[in-house]
Amino acid sequence: RRLFELFFERLRISRRAPRDSTAHWEWLESHPRVAAADIERLKAWYAAAHGGRRLPLRDLHNLILRIDGQIS
């Protein structure tokens, strides 16, 4: 869950959004360079993490890096 928290905090800062902003999913979905499949995988892993299930951390980290590259 911490990987997600850090990722969304970086997004918030880069977008200069208010601290209480929770519109990260909408922003990602509307970003033209972020692949829809990457967002769907990120959402699935986010739900799994918040459901207490184990995640492939290396794959999650690589996905976050790929999305970071797509939005920068």
Side-chain angles (χ1 to χ4, degrees):
R1 286 192 263 182
R2 186 71 176 141
L3 282 173
F4 285 107
E5 291 170 14
L6 293 171
F7 173 66
F8 290 130
E9 181 65 9
R10 282 195 316 276
L11 279 183
R12 185 193 65 76
I13 290 169
S14 70
R15 295 175 35 232
R16 295 187 175 105
R19 185 164 294 283
D20 61 348
S21 176
T22 58
H24 45 265
W25 290 118
E26 294 85 9
W27 186 83
L28 281 172
E29 289 170 340
S30 68
H31 197 290
R33 288 185 289 196
V34 178
D38 288 345
I39 295 171
E40 291 307 312
R41 178 168 288 156
L42 189 68
K43 281 184 171 184
W45 283 342
Y46 182 85
H50 283 83
R53 295 191 305 264
R54 295 183 65 115
L55 299 177
L57 292 181
R58 183 177 350 143
D59 294 338
L60 173 59
H61 180 260
N62 289 336
L63 176 61
I64 288 173
L65 289 177
R66 185 169 51 250
I67 292 172
D68 277 339
Q70 291 170 348
I71 61 177
S72 61

